[in-house]
Amino acid sequence: MLFSNRTQGHLIALMTVFLWGTTFIATKILLIDFKPVEILFFRFGLGYLTLWILAPRFFAWQGFKKEVMFLCAGLCGVTCYFLCENIALTYTTASNVGVITTLAPIFTAILSIFFLKIETPPKRFYIGCLFAVVGVGIISFNGKFVLSLNPLGDLLTMLACLFWACYSILVKKSSNYGYNTILLTRRFFFYGLMLMLPVLPFFDFEWHLSRFTDPVNLLNILFLGVGASAICFASWNYAVKLVGAVKISIYLYLVPILTIIAAVVILHEPFTWIAAIGTLFTLCGVLLSEGKVRVRRK
């Protein structure tokens, strides 16, 4: 074997966050013709179909207890996380959301201690998290050091972090059963989409598939649905399986850095020295947090 399982997991996580870091560009373009909830539903609907193509075989019912776990993963990682994040943006600033969502790995670490009982982060993990939070905060403000607090929007963003942490824990528990990663991810998507359906009318969801006749819209939704959703969620879940929820979640700190790079290259947005300092802080935080994690055996 060319790489160990843990090395493979880290490489897969890097590939995943690279694609996730560029989803901002595609979403920003689609927001011209689509509502946020429409992008969300079409994205994961396409992702679900893609996973069927990648693994065209039926995933049998796994028993009530396990299916409830899968349903909760879909609820947390697909429905609640993205809905909370999208709704939060209507109540608070993007800077607030960008800063607060970096707390997801800390939530994941705390929940892992209580529910997984096999991943105990050392002190350097939390020090690294602090560096990364400061770094991403600097990047998000990017010279605009005004933090306008909005209790509802910021609370929704905190809930999004908690939902992603719960999703990571549920993925780790589900992967312990040895199921095929694509089939398992597809089951998560199925439950996430089913739980999304009841709330669509409240967000003025409209089908209007004619909007996809525009090549720009079609290419961007294909990127989000096939690449950023189907392939990335499956690869992320596989990386969690190989390495662990806590260690892998730290790579989420790289997403805003990659987003800035993509925005500079594709959208020609300015990159200031303040953003450069934030990037350095975030990278230092990731490297510091990547120390060996103690494992407490049951």
Side-chain angles (χ1 to χ4, degrees), residues 124-162:
R124 63 182 296 169
F125 176 86
Y126 297 101
I127 297 174
C129 286
L130 179 61
F131 267 81
V133 168
V134 171
V136 177
I138 294 173
I139 290 171
S140 297
F141 298 135
N142 200 14
K144 302 173 183 177
F145 291 95
V146 179
L147 184 62
S148 56
L149 295 177
N150 183 297
L152 180 57
D154 295 336
L155 177 60
L156 286 171
T157 309
M158 292 284 286
L159 283 175
C161 294
L162 181 60

Side-chain angles (χ1 to χ4, degrees), residues 35 39 54 90 104 108 111 114 116 156 169 198 213 217 244 256 276-277:
K35 301 182 185 71
I39 297 174
L54 293 176
T90 66
T108 303
L111 291 182
F114 291 102
L116 294 182
L156 286 171
I169 300 300
T213 57
N217 288 339
I277 293 175

